[in-house]
Amino acid sequence: MLDKAPNGKVSDLLNALDKALSAGEVEHAVDLFQTDCYWRDLVTFTWNIKTMEGKEQVRDMLKARLADTRPSNWKIADSEDASEADGITESWIQFETGVARGFGHMRLKDGRIWTLLTTMSELKGHEEPVGFDRPMGAKHGAERNRTTWKEDREAEAAELGYSRQPYCVIVGGGQGGIALGARLRQLNVPTIIVEKNEKPGDSWRKRYKSLCLHDPVWYDHLPYLPFPRNWPVFSPKDKIGDWLEMYTRVMELNYWGATECKKASYDEKSREWTVVVQCDGKEIVLKPKQLVLATGMSAKPNTPKFEGMDIFKGDQHHSSQHPGSDKYKNSKAVVIGSNNSAHDICAALWEAGADVTMVQRSTTHVVRSDSLMELGLAALYSEQAVQSGMTTAKADLIFASLPYKILHEFQIPVYNAIRERDADYYKRLEKAGFLLDYGDDDSGLFMKYLRRGSGYYIDVGASELIANGSIKLKSGVDVKKLTERSVILSDGTELPADLVVYATGYGSMNGWAADLISKEVADKVGKVWGLGSNTTKDPGPWEGEQRNMWKPTQQEGLWFHGGNLHQSRHYSQFLSLQLKARMEGIPAPVYGLQKVHHLS
Ligand SMILES: Cc1cc2nc3c(=O)[nH]c(=O)nc-3n(C[C@H](O)[C@H](O)[C@H](O)COP(=O)(O)OP(=O)(O)OC[C@H]3O[C@@H](n4cnc5c(N)ncnc54)[C@H](O)[C@@H]3O)c2cc1C
């Protein structure tokens, strides 16, 4: 028989919360929270992406936002039951605000709220046309001079950006720009995506030949259109490129390929951007109200400057420009760096028959893909999870419900288990001289990704080549200089080289704002990414959310979007709703706009 006790507990709590919030009784509402509580809000109360940590922050937020938000109808989500395990009662919940419908997740400890996630599902009166509301497509009946779907699409394409201005321009048509574009299309927000590559998918196609996604298929779906059930676990880069191209077309996106954004400026008076783009040698000026930079968080190359780079006679390039390894057969290659790209490129060069040396300056976190899939991802993103009824939307929300402040506590045991399981593997790597770490606090890959977006390798084969010496390794050293034909390291070693690859990572996305808008605007918005965890490459103070991503920035009308496929799918929902609200003139006062502490 179904245990209804957890439902009763959650319903009682939600009724009490509903009552307190409806009556504007902030103290009563705050009393329902644990002392060590976390309330993560994705744009329902705060019009921001923000986590309130502890009762005081919950109180402050409610005092500022309750009257305006007008929350109501808190209940256990339709067709869901609460559950209980290890002293925690948890449940999917739903609620409304004055302007939106919300969905969320709640965990109770000792009868009080420990974690609360509130997310906006849709704006009232501006719902997406789905289910009973889906478009008819065909126009039955007979009418003279009527237009077809194709003619309507062509007319829209001919007009938008020329005689009619888009409300939103997205610069960058990689998966980020495309996913957001699809959401905005469903919300009827006129949008143009400008992309300097010719076709959607080219940002993947142009990467090195051997690249396959490192994340598995269950983690990678795009909004609305999941991959079919026979899609490979790890998409080869050209296949994901084709999927993106198909997706762009069937989702009816206004995608301007071979179009480069040259510059943009914001007029504070008219609250409008002037965006200059170049297509076929022609300049076109767009005048949107909102500008989204979806130019890639792994796309602004960090290329080091070493003495002698100007005299080096071989090939040298950043990993993002690596053309593939075929032409380097029998070459001597030196790859500077020891993260994902460095490993992938070293392995591909070795496969092509090159003599490869990896130069590792400092420690790297390495995790075997199998172990990551089984111990790190399987509960939410795997075939087993699908079989047990887990949906992508729920997996995303469960992941989102774990507060960043304590996420590492959930991650440390996972990586401890991985270290134990793969102890021999790590020993062999260390024996080969490889410098390992598991994150500053042993919390592993996800935390490194969220904090700094770098510092790891998901092992899909290169580590064995390092362990058995096929890829040579020089670790604990830096590059001193280049000569015409070699790389000299800080310990005096000289590595003869026909090719040097700088797999040295990427810079903060506000660098794009500096390039396209101005240094002032880039500095005004500050560093993009990172949580402020005060760990390596993620300086404090604690921010509690990823800086500047998918939420309002210090520059009105300027937004950043991107991240991996999971983030792009999940957060595009909340960014699109923020943009839609602004277009419809729905007041969206931002609570707790982040301060700027770092410029890059
Ligand atoms: C080697 C490597 C492996 C990776 N593996 C994975 C993985 O397995 N799974 C995963 O989810 N992520 C992976 N990533 C991260 C990956 O970069 C992102 O997931 C993905 O590329 C982000 O998509 P995006 O749309 O945000 O950025 P991008 O794909 O970088 O797209 C940005 C686009 O902006 C365009 N652009 C830039 N400036 C302008 C301009 N001025 N005008 C017009 N267009 C412009 C670029 O041409 C580009 O197409 C990997 C990254 C690298 C480098």
Side-chain angles (χ1 to χ4, degrees), residues 77 91-95 102-106 116-119 121 397:
S91 181
W92 296 106
I93 60 168
Q94 62 188 58
F95 63 99
F103 193 82
H105 186 270
M106 194 166 76
L116 177 62
L117 171 74
T118 48
T119 77
S121 309
L397 287 170

Side-chain angles (χ1 to χ4, degrees), residues 276-405:
V276 180
V277 305
Q278 197 165 49
C279 177
D280 267 347
K282 263 194 336 228
E283 232 175 52
I284 302 171
V285 177
L286 299 170
K287 294 273 191 179
K289 298 286 183 195
Q290 310 289 342
L291 180 66
V292 181
L293 298 186
T295 35
M297 75 81 122
S298 302
K300 194 149 186 40
N302 254 345
T303 308
K305 289 193 172 34
F306 296 123
E307 183 189 334
M309 280 166 82
D310 52 336
I311 57 160
F312 180 65
K313 290 240 160 44
D315 281 3
Q316 53 179 333
H317 45 246
H318 185 264
S319 57
S320 56
Q321 270 97 51
H322 186 60
S325 303
D326 293 352
K327 68 185 254 203
Y328 298 110
K329 188 172 184 215
N330 300 326
S331 300
K332 291 199 175 307
V334 176
V335 176
I336 314 293
S338 53
N339 292 338
N340 262 332
S341 301
H343 278 85
D344 277 2
I345 291 171
C346 281
L349 285 165
W350 178 84
E351 283 182 330
D355 173 21
V356 199
T357 305
M358 174 188 279
V359 177
Q360 181 187 29
R361 183 173 58 179
S362 54
T363 59
T364 305
H365 176 51
V366 176
V367 59
R368 290 178 56 239
S369 174
D370 286 357
S371 302
L372 183 66
M373 296 242 293
E374 283 165 42
L375 299 178
L377 280 173
L380 296 179
Y381 302 98
S382 67
E383 204 55 49
Q384 298 91 298
V386 172
Q387 297 293 326
S388 63
M390 180 60 73
T391 63
T392 309
K394 277 189 176 170
D396 289 353
L397 287 170
I398 290 174
F399 198 67
S401 74
L402 298 169
Y404 284 142
K405 185 84 182 180

Side-chain angles (χ1 to χ4, degrees), residues 170-178 194-197 202-204 207-208 211-216 219-220 255-256 259-262 294-299 319-320 340-341 344 449 458 506 509 512 516 561-566 568:
I170 301 173
V171 182
Q175 70 210 24
I178 290 170
V194 296
E195 167 56 54
K196 64 183 172 197
N197 288 323
D202 281 354
S203 59
W204 281 108
R207 287 183 172 145
Y208 48 84
L211 178 66
C212 288
L213 290 200
H214 289 191
D215 296 325
Y219 193 69
D220 295 338
Y255 193 95
W256 289 15
T259 304
E260 183 168 0
C261 175
K262 290 296 199 186
T295 35
M297 75 81 122
S298 302
S319 57
S320 56
N340 262 332
S341 301
D344 277 2
Y449 176 69
I458 301 175
Y506 298 90
M509 279 183 80
W512 292 108
L516 298 175
H561 178 61
N564 63 28
L565 281 151
H566 153 259
S568 213

